Structure formats: C-alpha cells, structure tokens
Amino acid sequence: MFLLCGLASTVIGLLVPVAGPLGLVVRLVGIPFLVAGIALAKRSAALFEQSDTNIKTFDDPDVLVRTGPFRFSRNPMYLGFTLALGGVALLVGSLSAVIGPVFFWLLADRWYVPFEERRMTARFGPAYQQYRIMVPRWVGRPRPMQSSVS
C-alpha cells in the first residue's frame, strides 16, 4: 500500500498539478521527511525482528513490543510510512500529490490500526489495554502509568 500511494502521489501530482509546482527549496524539504519516515519504519520493523515477533498485519501477534519508537507511538511503522509519503508529495511539488499520504493515513487509521488493535487486545488483554492508555496511537508523549491505589 505504501508503494501504491507513493506512485499515486507522483503520478497525480505530475499529471494533475494543483497549486504547483512548488519552488525547489520547498520541494527539497521533502527529502528529510522521506528519509526520516523510512528510517522510522525500518527501525520499528527491526525491533519486531529483534523480538522475534510477527510483522505481517494479518497474522497473529507474538510479542507486545513497547521499546524504541513504540514508547511514543503505538504505530511507528505506519507513522514512518506516512511521513515518507509526505516527503514524496513535497518532492513532487504539487498539492494534488498530498492524496497519497492522506489516503494512506486514512486507510491505516480507519482500517489497519483498528484491525490490529482488536488482535492485540485479544492476544495480550490487560497488558495491551494499559499500553493503549499510556502510548498515543500516532505520536506524543507517553502518559504516566496510573496507580490503582487511591
């Protein structure tokens, strides 16, 4: 889906440019977004490999990974892909190229993530529920653990 959205951004942005082309300096800002997004996704995937857990969306999860980028986002791979696609859209230099990252994010947020969250809840129960409370879906500061003692 990442590659399809990147291709769609490029083709649509070049064939149907809206509010573009943007200037070279603005377009070059896309490079750090592209590089950072890919690096985030690769780092997150590497943690799955190190934890010897499944990375495939439709297979059962094996391990609840909570280290590295997973301390700040429950979905750093999808976040990385979205950042990288934003970089592609900037590099293409047309507002219409934003269709790729927006579509990818919507698909991840509305379909992939809820599907995975149901699987994680079924597999890890209260441990995953606590993780959901502490760590935002996309990005943010982890919340402190709540004490059950009043």
Side-chain angles (χ1 to χ4, degrees):
M1 189 53 60
F2 168 72
L3 294 175
L4 287 174
C5 287
L7 181 63
S9 278
T10 303
V11 170
I12 292 168
L14 295 175
L15 295 180
V16 190
V18 173
L22 299 174
L24 180 61
V25 173
V26 173
R27 293 173 73 178
L28 291 177
V29 169
I31 293 172
F33 280 92
L34 178 62
V35 170
I38 290 172
L40 177 60
K42 286 185 74 139
R43 172 69 180 127
S44 302
L47 286 171
F48 271 48
E49 187 175 321
Q50 290 170 5
S51 299
D52 197 31
T53 190
N54 163 53
I55 195 169
K56 295 177 184 171
T57 299
F58 301 106
D59 289 350
D60 287 331
D62 303 310
V63 175
L64 179 57
V65 178
R66 294 180 266 196
T67 60
F70 291 92
R71 293 174 298 149
F72 306 100
S73 171
R74 294 195 311 266
N75 300 285
M77 281 182 259
Y78 293 133
L79 179 60
F81 289 143
T82 303
L83 285 172
L85 289 168
V88 168
L90 282 168
L91 284 166
V92 169
S94 170
L95 186 59
S96 54
V98 172
I99 195 163
V102 168
F103 179 77
F104 182 86
W105 180 82
L106 283 171
L107 186 63
D109 189 63
R110 305 294 178 205
W111 192 71
Y112 281 107
V113 171
F115 173 82
E116 290 176 355
E117 287 183 340
R118 287 190 298 273
R119 303 282 297 266
M120 298 293 284
T121 299
R123 171 72 169 89
F124 301 110
Y128 183 69
Q129 291 301 336
Q130 184 64 34
Y131 176 67
R132 282 183 69 178
I133 291 167
M134 292 174 49
V135 178
R137 176 180 273 186
W138 289 107
V139 70
R141 214 165 115 208
R143 295 175 192 95
M145 277 188 38
Q146 299 294 323
S147 173
S148 58
V149 179
S150 298

